[in-house]
Amino acid sequence: MRQLSVVLDGRPSTLERHPDDGFIRADPAKMGPATRRALRALVLVFCPPPPAPQLADAEDLVERSVLGLLPYMTRLTAFGFVLAIHLLEWAPIWRFVAFSRLSRLPRARAEAVADGLSASRSPLVRTIALGVRGVVQSTYYDQPEVHAALDYAPIPFMQGRIALRERIVAGGETTPADLIGPFSEVTR
């Protein structure tokens, strides 16, 4: 399992939860083989094609992420998400564009079907497609390889905010440089 990490001042640093916060991660949800196959097909369809970074283990990363998120959803929401995966898997058939499930179509054809769903005139179909696409892409865009390709470095910012919180909890004062948002010196 991957973990966000960065090297600051010559020593590695991670963004782990504080050991004293009492958080216990829920066990990953169970997912049947048909749902896994459908989810993995959707990962291939919804992750950006080259020249975007191609992650060799994208299906595994997204699957682990989804299985880790499902226990934190209400039962109805988790059921709806799994149902959405199956609806998208069978979309080529109920949209009358192919006689096969999405996972059995060539990637280019599957991408065309998925793009059609995301641009559907039906708000329900659009919402289902965009919801699953959002979960897949949020995991994809949170990978270090993608951060590097985008020249995006969120870890130092987050570590700075953690340090600010620790300074405030210890009784320290804030400065105008600590502010973010429309009234900060950074955005003026």
Side-chain angles (χ1 to χ4, degrees):
M1 187 145 187
R2 292 182 184 212
Q3 181 178 25
L4 290 175
S5 62
V6 67
V7 176
L8 291 178
D9 302 325
R11 56 194 165 91
S13 177
T14 61
L15 292 175
E16 297 173 351
R17 294 190 67 101
H18 192 280
D20 296 334
D21 71 1
F23 178 77
I24 299 172
R25 184 170 298 281
D27 292 333
K30 304 288 187 240
M31 190 177 279
T35 307
R36 283 187 130 127
R37 181 181 58 244
L39 177 62
R40 293 171 82 81
L42 291 168
V43 169
L44 292 176
V45 168
F46 287 146
C47 283
Q54 299 302 294
L55 306 175
D57 55 352
E59 296 102 327
D60 295 331
L61 289 169
V62 173
E63 183 180 320
R64 276 196 308 267
S65 177
V66 167
L67 293 176
L69 289 173
L70 285 175
Y72 295 100
M73 297 180 188
T74 64
R75 288 181 191 241
L76 184 59
T77 303
F79 174 77
F81 183 78
V82 171
L83 181 62
I85 290 170
H86 286 285
L87 285 171
L88 296 177
E89 165 75 342
W90 291 94
I93 294 171
W94 57 261
R95 300 260 314 179
F96 304 110
V97 296
F99 294 111
S100 180
R101 296 184 310 233
L102 196 72
S103 60
R104 297 202 176 174
L105 293 177
R107 181 174 177 161
R109 176 78 186 219
E111 286 175 350
V113 171
D115 289 343
L117 293 167
S118 297
S120 173
R121 290 185 294 186
S122 166
L124 180 61
V125 171
R126 250 190 345 260
T127 300
I128 289 169
L130 293 176
V132 175
R133 182 186 297 256
V135 170
V136 168
Q137 288 188 349
S138 68
T139 300
Y140 169 82
Y141 283 107
D142 208 20
Q143 299 309 310
E145 300 90 336
V146 179
H147 287 179
L150 295 173
D151 195 24
Y152 173 61
I155 294 171
F157 172 78
M158 290 186 280
Q159 287 178 325
R161 302 318 293 183
I162 292 168
L164 171 62
R165 181 185 182 283
E166 290 171 352
R167 188 174 79 222
I168 292 171
V169 168
E173 296 292 320
T174 61
T175 66
D178 295 327
L179 298 174
I180 55 175
F183 303 109
S184 73
E185 293 177 359
V186 175
T187 56
R188 286 186 190 176

